[in-house]
Amino acid sequence: MGGTSTARKGYGELHMNSVVSNNVTWATAKARSEEVNGYPSFSPSKNGWFSRQARKISNSLPRFIGRRDYAEKEKLGRGRWNPNNGSKTGRLITYLGRIVRRFRLRLLLVTAFLLALSLFYITPLHRVYRRTSFLGGGSKFVIILAANEGGGVMEWKGPREWAIERDSLRNKKKYARKWGYDLEIVDMSTKKRYAHEWRESWEKVDTVRNCMRKYPKAEWFWWLDLNTFIMEPSYSLQSHIFNRLEANTYRDINIYNPLNITHPLTEAYLDPITRSPTGDNKTSSIDIIIPQDCAGFNLGSFFVRRSPWTDRLLDIWWDPVNYEQKHMEWEHKEQDALEYLYINHPWVRPHTAFIPQRKVNSFPPGACGEDGTDPHIHYAEEDRDFVVNMAGCEWGRDCWGEMYNYRELSNKLNRTPWEKFKDGISARVKTMRERGKKKEASS
């Protein structure tokens, strides 16, 4: 072979020469790779003992994270809600949102319950419920109130009489609306046709009959005089009386008998029920409920029930024979007439029940005694009596003064917790002012 030539080196020799010539180790290659793909590793220039101790002390100190101006800020904000840069308000909203999501079913039920409760008591919905015959039963009751009594033919009304009527009407309207009862306000000035017959105070009987025709679905009719005031509007007639009618009434007049009426009747021709002191002992046979005061029957507040027996009683009670022959003798007119029927007509007793005076017709001091301490008759604040009747206030007493006092007392006793709190604050402020005035006056 001509010319000079060098021998060709094999693959192994070339590879070993390149490694030796470049002098690249595995550690060097790894370090270079980290410099390209990531951040350079921190390597302090001085690794002495003092430097290491300084770093330990620095790492042990508390850290205060301020603004994040590097990539960490983006990482924390990425993919999550961070309102108001993590302020207290934002954190609170986030926490509440988590609670709502966690207990959403329970919160939904509570909200629905509160909404139904507010709709039931704030709107007239509860009145509809209380009025229904199959739920509340309010439609079974009618309150009859005599108005414009002084506007008849006996006398004319002054400012105080008008004020009494205004307060009494407002009181009955509010109570009837609360419990779903019907309220029939009777204008007595239209009853002048009774004057020439001496019947101006007998119109209760005729008014009750007319109301029974006007409200054919009602069962019980409650007559109230104008000078009455419902002290406890939170008492319904059902819960206060009629749900426990047998316990709240008595048939035997000997339990409280101010007229000393002989009872029961003993004539042999009478049937056993009429001769019984308590009739048939069934509440279904009670058709009239009357309270008694110190002088006998009191019709300032009484109940009558729709029945054939009641129709018969009202017809005889209203019979012209009674008032034509007895109007000069019967001082209390329709009350004396009913007492006469009870004493002399045996068929009246089995359907008549009596109710304690203070249950529906409490008296103020001055009525049936000046001191007003009779536990059977007079109003007692601590017992929260239902109704007060200023009976006979027009004879030497101040009707308006009594009505005003009992109205204010009723408002005080039936305050809401919020009203009691406000009144307590007002009383304390007033006391402090009075003390300050006394100190100024003394100095």
Side-chain angles (χ1 to χ4, degrees):
M1 184 181 286
T4 62
S5 62
T6 59
R8 181 176 294 180
K9 297 180 178 180
Y11 175 76
E13 293 178 340
L14 290 174
H15 179 68
M16 290 299 295
N17 291 335
S18 63
V19 171
V20 173
S21 63
N22 293 331
N23 196 22
V24 177
T25 63
W26 174 257
T28 305
K30 181 180 179 182
R32 290 179 180 178
S33 177
E34 289 178 351
E35 290 179 0
V36 173
N37 297 328
Y39 296 99
S41 59
F42 176 77
S43 179
S45 58
K46 297 181 180 180
N47 293 322
W49 184 85
F50 290 103
S51 298
R52 292 195 301 271
Q53 297 303 320
R55 285 196 300 272
K56 289 181 180 180
I57 295 173
S58 177
N59 292 332
S60 65
L61 294 175
R63 298 181 180 183
F64 300 93
I65 301 176
R67 294 185 58 188
R68 298 180 177 88
D69 295 329
Y70 50 96
E72 187 179 356
K73 177 179 179 180
E74 184 180 357
K75 288 181 180 179
L76 288 177
R78 185 184 301 166
R80 63 181 69 179
W81 183 51
N82 189 25
N84 299 325
N85 293 327
S87 64
K88 292 183 179 180
T89 305
R91 290 195 298 269
L92 178 61
I93 294 175
T94 304
Y95 175 75
L96 293 177
R98 292 173 183 170
I99 295 297
V100 171
R101 288 193 297 272
R102 184 176 180 181
F103 300 100
R104 56 183 178 272
L105 181 58
R106 298 177 185 177
L107 290 174
L108 181 62
L109 294 176
V110 172
T111 303
F113 174 76
L114 293 177
L115 180 61
L117 198 65
S118 61
L119 289 175
F120 187 78
Y121 283 101
I122 296 176
T123 65
L125 187 63
H126 69 282
R127 300 172 191 164
V128 176
Y129 161 79
R130 289 172 175 172
R131 180 168 176 76
T132 54
S133 59
F134 56 90
L135 292 175
S139 60
K140 296 180 180 180
F141 299 90
V142 177
I143 301 174
I144 307 173
L145 180 66
N148 202 19
E149 287 188 338
V153 298
M154 293 297 188
E155 59 179 344
W156 297 103
K157 291 195 297 187
R160 284 176 169 263
E161 286 76 18
W162 283 112
I164 291 171
E165 180 171 312
R166 181 183 64 248
D167 287 348
S168 182
L169 290 177
R170 185 187 298 116
N171 175 248
K172 310 308 185 299
K173 287 180 179 178
K174 183 178 179 180
Y175 181 76
R177 186 168 56 250
K178 177 181 178 66
W179 294 106
Y181 305 143
D182 287 305
L183 175 63
E184 181 69 13
I185 301 174
V186 183
D187 187 359
M188 292 304 179
S189 63
T190 62
K191 302 295 183 180
K192 292 183 179 181
R193 60 190 177 92
Y194 301 138
H196 70 285
E197 301 171 343
W198 297 90
R199 293 180 81 179
E200 188 169 352
S201 63
W202 289 62
E203 67 274 3
K204 290 182 181 180
V205 182
D206 192 32
T207 300
V208 171
R209 293 198 307 177
N210 293 334
C211 287
M212 286 186 172
R213 300 188 190 101
K214 185 175 180 179
Y215 300 94
K217 296 183 179 180
E219 181 181 2
W220 284 98
F221 297 82
W222 182 22
W223 175 277
L224 283 172
D225 282 351
L226 186 65
N227 288 336
T228 58
F229 198 87
I230 299 175
M231 298 294 293
E232 298 296 333
S234 61
Y235 298 174
S236 68
L237 293 177
Q238 296 95 312
S239 62
H240 187 58
I241 300 173
F242 291 95
N243 289 348
R244 301 176 63 247
L245 188 58
E246 183 177 1
N248 291 322
T249 58
Y250 58 95
R251 310 285 282 273
D252 187 358
I253 197 175
N254 293 311
I255 294 176
Y256 182 71
N257 192 358
L259 296 176
N260 293 319
I261 297 174
T262 302
H263 184 80
L265 300 173
T266 58
E267 285 76 2
Y269 62 85
L270 298 174
D271 60 90
I273 294 178
T274 304
R275 284 182 288 152
S276 171
T278 57
D280 60 1
N281 293 311
K282 297 180 181 178
T283 56
S284 59
S285 63
I286 298 177
D287 292 315
I288 186 169
I289 303 174
I290 308 167
Q292 295 188 90
D293 58 25
C294 57
F297 293 6
N298 187 284
L299 299 182
S301 171
F302 71 99
F303 297 87
V304 292
R305 185 182 203 168
R306 181 190 302 278
S307 69
W309 180 93
T310 303
D311 292 337
R312 180 186 178 189
L313 174 69
L314 294 177
D315 288 340
I316 298 177
W317 195 356
W318 186 246
D319 195 297
V321 175
N322 289 327
Y323 69 80
E324 287 289 351
Q325 296 182 3
K326 297 287 187 177
H327 70 270
M328 296 298 292
E329 179 182 346
W330 289 341
E331 179 182 359
H332 299 100
K333 301 172 184 178
E334 79 283 351
Q335 290 182 181
D336 291 340
L338 183 60
E339 291 172 356
Y340 177 84
L341 294 176
Y342 182 86
I343 295 172
N344 296 284
H345 291 252
W347 60 274
V348 174
R349 301 193 185 195
H351 295 267
T352 302
F354 301 95
I355 191 168
Q357 173 83 4
R358 287 176 51 197
K359 198 76 175 176
V360 294
N361 199 35
S362 298
F363 277 3
C368 282
E370 294 295 334
D371 54 356
T373 58
D374 192 328
H376 300 288
I377 295 175
H378 293 107
Y379 176 82
E381 177 182 344
E382 61 274 11
D383 293 333
R384 306 291 291 267
D385 290 350
F386 181 36
V387 176
V388 63
N389 181 6
M390 281 68 75
C393 64
E394 62 273 13
W395 307 106
R397 304 201 326 261
D398 185 2
C399 293
W400 162 242
E402 291 183 4
M403 178 70 74
Y404 175 81
N405 290 334
Y406 282 107
R407 183 194 69 188
E408 294 300 310
L409 178 59
S410 176
N411 293 336
K412 176 184 176 182
L413 294 176
N414 292 279
R415 291 174 299 172
T416 62
W418 173 245
E419 290 173 340
K420 292 180 180 179
F421 174 76
K422 291 192 299 181
D423 291 344
I425 297 297
S426 300
R428 291 182 181 179
V429 172
K430 184 178 179 180
T431 303
M432 292 175 62
R433 288 179 179 177
E434 291 178 353
R435 289 178 181 176
K437 291 179 180 180
K438 289 180 180 180
K439 288 181 180 179
E440 292 177 359
S442 61
S443 60

